[in-house]
Amino acid sequence: MPTTWGELFDRAESADVTLDQIRSTAAELTDGESASGETDG
Amino acid sequence: MADRSTGNADHPDPTRVVADSSVLAADLFVDGDARRALDLVRSHSWIDLVASDHLLAATEELVAALADPDLAAAHRDRLEADRVAVDHPDDDHPALASAYRGEAAHLLSSDERLNSAKAGLSMQPRLSISVRTPDAFAAVFDPEKLYPTVEDGSYPGPDCDPRE
């Protein structure tokens, strides 16, 4: 059975991640994939 | 999850919501706008979260980079259990294509470029999708107003625990 949302939120809270970190990491991953795609293409 | 969409190519389903990977991660990590927006979805059995495998994979990668692979996998498992699954070509934007393929009326994203990205989809969309930030969605999305247009009877209130 999947973990409840409450349990997931509790586990995630300890990571102490901020919105700025989410935005910057998402941008890094997207940029990395774009660069990879350009290389592949 | 069963497909009970009322949407079609011209009229997206107002009970279907897509959130991009950043919003899904923000929901997980931060008790803020994204969680408030997605609590509206989780609180109502007749409102569906739509997501492709590509979108789940992008979210898992993001959560793993921010925290750890175990949390990312548990989060993905939960999203897989809750979502309406759709498929799309690998090259399409995962959130945007999930919205179009799933005939969802709402796309939650803080990325303003998504509106212009519609032209990059393999399937040229005719759907009118509302791309909103989580706080804007939470402010305007009203389940009580929507309920009579999609279900019989009067609005019974939230019917699910958003923490279960």
Side-chain angles (χ1 to χ4, degrees):
Chain A
M1 179 174 282
T3 312
T4 68
W5 283 107
E7 289 167 349
L8 286 170
F9 295 154
D10 287 345
R11 284 174 61 180
E13 190 177 6
S14 64
D16 205 20
V17 172
T18 66
L19 287 177
D20 282 344
Q21 285 176 289
I22 294 170
R23 289 192 190 106
S24 62
T25 304
E28 285 170 16
L29 291 174
T30 302
D31 290 347
E33 283 166 11
S34 298
S36 171
E38 285 165 11
T39 303
D40 292 345
Chain B
M1 184 174 284
D3 188 340
R4 52 184 170 76
S5 171
T6 60
N8 57 47
D10 295 314
H11 301 287
D13 187 336
T15 69
R16 288 192 159 198
V17 178
V18 172
D20 74 9
S21 55
S22 293
V23 172
L24 292 171
D27 168 49
L28 177 65
F29 287 112
V30 182
D31 187 6
D33 293 329
R35 190 170 300 172
R36 199 157 51 95
L38 288 171
D39 273 350
L40 287 169
V41 177
R42 284 188 286 266
S43 300
H44 297 90
S45 61
W46 49 276
I47 301 174
D48 292 324
L49 181 72
V50 178
S52 67
D53 285 347
H54 296 289
L55 178 53
L56 294 190
T59 304
E60 184 176 11
E61 183 182 20
L62 176 57
V63 172
L66 289 161
D68 65 78
D70 287 345
L71 177 61
H75 183 230
R76 179 178 180 146
D77 286 347
R78 184 58 210 243
L79 289 171
E80 273 186 345
D82 289 357
R83 69 165 174 170
V84 171
V86 292
D87 196 15
H88 59 78
D90 293 350
D91 292 341
D92 280 357
H93 186 287
L96 200 53
S98 291
Y100 282 112
R101 298 278 173 167
E103 297 168 349
H106 312 281
L107 172 53
L108 308 188
S109 176
S110 299
D111 186 351
E112 294 175 354
R113 297 169 299 176
L114 277 188
N115 273 312
S116 59
K118 291 174 188 174
L121 291 175
S122 61
M123 181 182 76
Q124 286 305 310
R126 288 182 290 147
L127 287 172
S128 171
I129 292 175
S130 169
V131 183
R132 287 197 174 99
T133 56
D135 63 319
F137 175 80
V140 302
F141 186 74
D142 186 346
E144 186 170 2
K145 268 189 187 166
L146 179 60
Y147 188 85
T149 68
V150 295
E151 302 281 347
D152 294 328
S154 58
Y155 175 62
D159 61 349
C160 298
D161 180 348
R163 296 295 174 271
E164 283 300 313

